Every structure is written in structure tokens, then in C-alpha cells.
């Protein structure tokens, strides 16, 4: 769903809610005026509060995405202000119902069959409506619509209590005030949940842990990212704002800008309702540097090929003194493919988070070079024939990252 369609859909459902509340209020007013039931009168007050709340929700949805010089980041939180207002109105409604239940003088209640039929209908209508509104609210990530749908669920319960009060009165049991008290309890419980959720957003509480974990996975899956350090985010209405500190392989300004734009776009596309992503590029902090060397065999003979190299050495050196921290020989998993083998192998090596690739041939102008360049991998050409010639003697410092091994010529990081 496009952002434009999403906004129209949400606003339309706000209008639907207003219309339904008008119908329910009219029906309950008719029953309350004829029956004299305190429970139905309380339910009518509940309806009027719902109608005012629906209008507030609609106003919040209309104004939420607007921006101005005074509010350059938009008015997204107006949706949460609308949800907060809804919670406060619910508390006021509960107070009025409780006051009437406990202190109002007793009054006779008149019940007819058509009243029970009307109350049954006013219970079924909001139940069906809440089902669809809740689905739309969750799809759009709208806290105001979700709050409104949940309030309709409570409305179904309270209408059922009013129905039970009238039915019991018809059978000779005076349960009108007791039903009104239960309506108070249900209304207060829902109001507290809405108040809590609205305040979390208004006070900039963090995004949930699952969403932050999803964002971290997307950022770290980019081949040019060596590490995603801190990640934080917050809700503002139905929109999400994300910030993260990342370490990149490339330090070139133009390449850094390309990577940042690519990662930000990926997060917005894959995580729903993300309005803005802000990445802070931080200096590389890793104490290690990782090299890959194309090999002809597992014994360490350097290969004159790239995609067709049967093995690769993955060597991790300490950045400070160049000593070998880890060395492993891995088979080329894509040796058997024919189409785009070099590009596939380049992508595989990038996924190994290498910093440098050392070869006996040049990849200038070839597909693998572009893949490696976009990931910030440095390419080095060597005339050495065996891996041992590229490594420092055992127990000694110095090595690949200083470019002082025999026959290694450095090239600017792509």
C-alpha cells in the first residue's frame, strides 16, 4: 500500500467511525428515553464520548502528516494526542456512570421487546465494525484507529450489560445499577490501556525490541557495513523514526554517501511505516583487518584466476602489529557454476566481510571489481606464487596490511 493510499484509507475509516457513533447514539437515546434505564442512559453517555473521540481521531489523522516552519518534523504525534484525549474522555464517562449508579435516586424501568432488539443490534454493529477497523489500523500502523477499534470492543461489552439489565428487569430482577457498575469497570480498564500507550509515544519511548533487531539485521546485511553499533528508534503517531551508528569499509566521501543512501532506503522499504532513517558513520574501531587470497590448491599455491580459483585463504591480522590472528583455507562454493561466476564469488567474499582481496591478476573493468568496489573492498595485485610469501614469519609482526610483503602492489580502496 502506498503512503498516499494508506492516508486516504485511514481518514475514510475515521469518517466511518463518526457515522456509526451517530447511529448508535440515536438508537440508545431512543431506548433510554422510553425505558428510563440507568444502564442504557450510561451507555448513551458512553456513545456520546465515543462520538467526540471519533471526531478527535479524525482531526488527528487529518493534521498528523502536515509540516510547517514551526513544526518541520511534522505533526505526527497528533494521532497520539487524539488517543490520549480519547482515554481522558473515557475516564470522564466512567466517573459519570459511577456517580449515577451510586447516588442517583431509584427510578422505575419500563421494558418492551423492541428495546431488546435494538440493543442487540447496537451490539452486533460495533462488533463487526471493530473487526475491520482494527485490521485497517494495524495495517496502517495508526494508534488512533487501533484505539478506536478497541473502544468499540468495550462498547460491545457494555451494550451487552445494558441488554442484560433490561432483560433482567423484564423478568422481574432489578439489576440496572449493578450492570452500570460493571460498565464503569470495563470503561476504566480500556481507558488505562489507551492512556498508557499514548503516553509511551508522547514521551518518546523506544521502538520495540523486535523492530530494532529487524533494523539491525538489515543494516548489517549490507556488504559495505562492517558493524552496526548503537540503534535507537521511536514512534510518532503511526510513523517510525530510526537512528543508528554504523562503521563502513569505505572512507571515500562519495562512496560513503552512496552506502548511507542505499541502507536508509532498504530500511524504509523493508520495515513498515518508517518515515525517516538517520545513519551516523563512525570511524572504524575493529582491531582486525581481513584479507582474502585466491589459491590454486589447499597447500597455498596462488591462483592466476578469480572466479575459477578452487580455494581462498581468509586471513585475519591484528591491525596494530600485523600478526596473524586467524587463517583458514575455504573451498570456492561457486566453482561449479558457469554464468556470472566471478560476480557470484565476489558477492560471497563480500559476505565474508573481507577488507582486502589479493590476486595475481587485475580485475579492472570486470563485473567482480564493481561488486567489490561498491562494498569498499580494497584490491591488491601480487607477483607472489605461494601464500607463505605473503605472510609474516611465525612470531613476527608486519604483513599484508602494511603492503610490505614481496610483490604486493597497493591500490586505492575502491
Amino acid at each position: 500500500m502506498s503512503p498516499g493510499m494508506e492516508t486516504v484509507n485511514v481518514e475514510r475509516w475515521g469518517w466511518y467511525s463518526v457515522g456509526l457513533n451517530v447511529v448508535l447514539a440515536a438508537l440508545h437515546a431512543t431506548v433510554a428515553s422510553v425505558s428510563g434505564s440507568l444502564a442504557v442512559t450510561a451507555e448513551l453517555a458512553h456513545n456520546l464520548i465515543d462520538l467526540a473521540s471519533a471526531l478527535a481521531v479524525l482531526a488527528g489523522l487529518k493534521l498528523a502528516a502536515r509540516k510547517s516552519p514551526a513544526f518541520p518534523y511534522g505533526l505526527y504525534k497528533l494521532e497520539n494526542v487524539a488517543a490520549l484525549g480519547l482515554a481522558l474522555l473515557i475516564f470522564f464517562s466512567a466517573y459519570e456512570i459511577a456517580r449515577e449508579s451510586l447516588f442517583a435516586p431509584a427510578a422505575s424501568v419500563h421494558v418492551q421487546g423492541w428495546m431488546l432488539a435494538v440493543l442487540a443490534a447496537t451490539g452486533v454493529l460495533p462488533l463487526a465494525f471493530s473487526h475491520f477497523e482494527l485490521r485497517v489500523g494495524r495495517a496502517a500502523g495508526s494508534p488512533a484507529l487501533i484505539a478506536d477499534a478497541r473502544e468499540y470492543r468495550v462498547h460491545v461489552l457494555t451494550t451487552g450489560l445494558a441488554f442484560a439489565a433490561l432483560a433482567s428487569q423484564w423478568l422481574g430482577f432489578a439489576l440496572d445499577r449493578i450492570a452500570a457498575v460493571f460498565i464503569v469497570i470495563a470503561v476504566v480498564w480500556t481507558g488505562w490501556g489507551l492512556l498508557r500507550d499514548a503516553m509511551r509515544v508522547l514521551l518518546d519511548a523506544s521502538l520495540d525490541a523486535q523492530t530494532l533487531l529487524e533494523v539491525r539485521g538489515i543494516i548489517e546485511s549490507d556488504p559495505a557495513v562492517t558493524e552496526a553499533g548503537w540503534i535507537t528508534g521511536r514512534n510518532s503517531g503511526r510513523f517510525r523514526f530510526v537512528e543508528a551508528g554504523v562503521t563502513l569499509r569505505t572512507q571515500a566521501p562519495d562512496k560513503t554517501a552512496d552506502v548511507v543512501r542505499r541502507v536508509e532506503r532498504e530500511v524504509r522499504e523493508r520495515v513498515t511505516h518508517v518515515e525517516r532513517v538517520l545513519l551516523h558513520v563512525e570511524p572504524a574501531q575493529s582491531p582486525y583487518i581481513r584479507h582474502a587470497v585466491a589459491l590454486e590448491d589447499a597447500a597455498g599455491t596462488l591462483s592466476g584466476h578469480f572466479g575459477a580459483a578452487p580455494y581462498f585463504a581468509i586471513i585475519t591480522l591484528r591491525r596494530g602489529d600485523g600478526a596473524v590472528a586467524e587463517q583458514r583455507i575455504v573451498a570456492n562454493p561457486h566453482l561449479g557454476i558457469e554464468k556470472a561466476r566471478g560476480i557470484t564469488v565476489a558477492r560471497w567474499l563480500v559476505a565474508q566481510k573481507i577488507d582486502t582481496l589479493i590476486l595475481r591478476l587485475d580485475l579492472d573493468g570486470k563485473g567482480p571489481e564493481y561488486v567489490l568496489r561498491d562494498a569498499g573492498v580494497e584490491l591488491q595485485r601480487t607477483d607472489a606464487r605461494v601464500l607463505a610469501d605473503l605472510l609474516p614469519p611465525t612470531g613476527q609482526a608486519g604483513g599484508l596490511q602494511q603492503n610490505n610483503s614481496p610483490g604486493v602492489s597497493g591500490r586505492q580502496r575502491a
Side-chain angles (χ1 to χ4, degrees), residues 121 145 167 213 254 271 320 339 341 354-355 405 408:
L145 279 189
L213 187 63
D254 57 336
V271 182
K339 293 187 64 176
R341 179 170 54 193
I354 66 170
D355 299 290
S405 300
V408 175

Side-chain angles (χ1 to χ4, degrees), residues 99-116:
R99 186 171 62 85
E100 289 290 323
S101 301
L102 296 175
F103 304 113
S108 59
V109 178
H110 307 283
V111 184
Q112 299 177 27
W114 67 268
M115 299 177 186
L116 296 176

Side-chain angles (χ1 to χ4, degrees), residues 13 16 39 71 180-181 203 210 213 243 273 281 286 290 327 407:
W13 277 86
Y16 291 163
F71 298 95
V181 170
L203 295 176
Q210 184 60 39
L213 187 63
E243 290 188 55
H273 314 304
V281 179
S286 174
R290 180 170 295 176
Q327 177 181 327

Side-chain angles (χ1 to χ4, degrees), residues 58-262:
L58 186 60
L61 294 175
K62 295 285 286 184
L63 297 174
R66 293 188 179 180
K67 298 180 181 180
S68 69
F71 298 95
Y73 295 100
L75 299 173
Y76 303 108
K77 288 188 179 181
L78 279 180
E79 287 191 52
N80 301 104
V81 173
L84 176 61
L86 174 57
L88 296 178
L89 287 172
I90 287 174
F91 287 139
F92 176 76
S93 176
Y95 166 76
E96 289 296 319
I97 297 171
R99 186 171 62 85
E100 289 290 323
S101 301
L102 296 175
F103 304 113
S108 59
V109 178
H110 307 283
V111 184
Q112 299 177 27
W114 67 268
M115 299 177 186
L116 296 176
V118 169
L119 286 181
T122 59
V124 172
L125 284 174
L127 179 61
F129 182 82
S130 69
H131 171 75
F132 294 104
E133 186 183 32
L134 187 62
R135 188 166 65 181
V136 172
R138 286 174 174 168
S142 170
L145 279 189
I146 293 172
D148 198 46
R150 288 175 178 169
E151 169 58 14
Y152 274 120
R153 298 290 174 89
V154 177
H155 183 76
V156 173
L157 173 62
T158 55
T159 301
L161 291 172
F163 178 91
L166 279 189
S168 66
Q169 194 74 32
W170 202 7
L171 298 174
F173 301 98
L175 301 179
D176 199 43
R177 290 178 180 271
I178 296 175
V181 170
F182 278 105
I183 291 175
V184 169
I185 295 173
V187 168
V188 168
W189 177 259
T190 300
W192 167 250
L194 297 179
L195 178 65
R196 178 194 59 212
D197 293 343
M199 290 303 297
R200 278 183 55 83
V201 175
L202 292 174
L203 295 176
D204 286 334
S206 173
L207 292 177
D208 61 278
Q210 184 60 39
T211 299
L212 293 178
L213 187 63
E214 181 182 2
V215 171
R216 178 179 293 276
I218 294 171
I219 293 175
E220 291 184 340
S221 67
D222 190 279
V225 176
T226 58
E227 182 183 11
W230 57 271
I231 298 179
T232 186
R234 61 182 178 87
N235 285 302
S236 187
R238 66 181 179 273
F239 300 97
R240 294 166 168 175
F241 295 80
V242 176
E243 290 188 55
V246 298
T247 303
L248 307 182
R249 285 190 178 81
T250 181
Q251 300 299 318
D254 57 336
K255 290 297 178 184
T256 297
D258 289 342
V259 173
V260 168
R261 283 193 294 267
R262 181 174 68 228

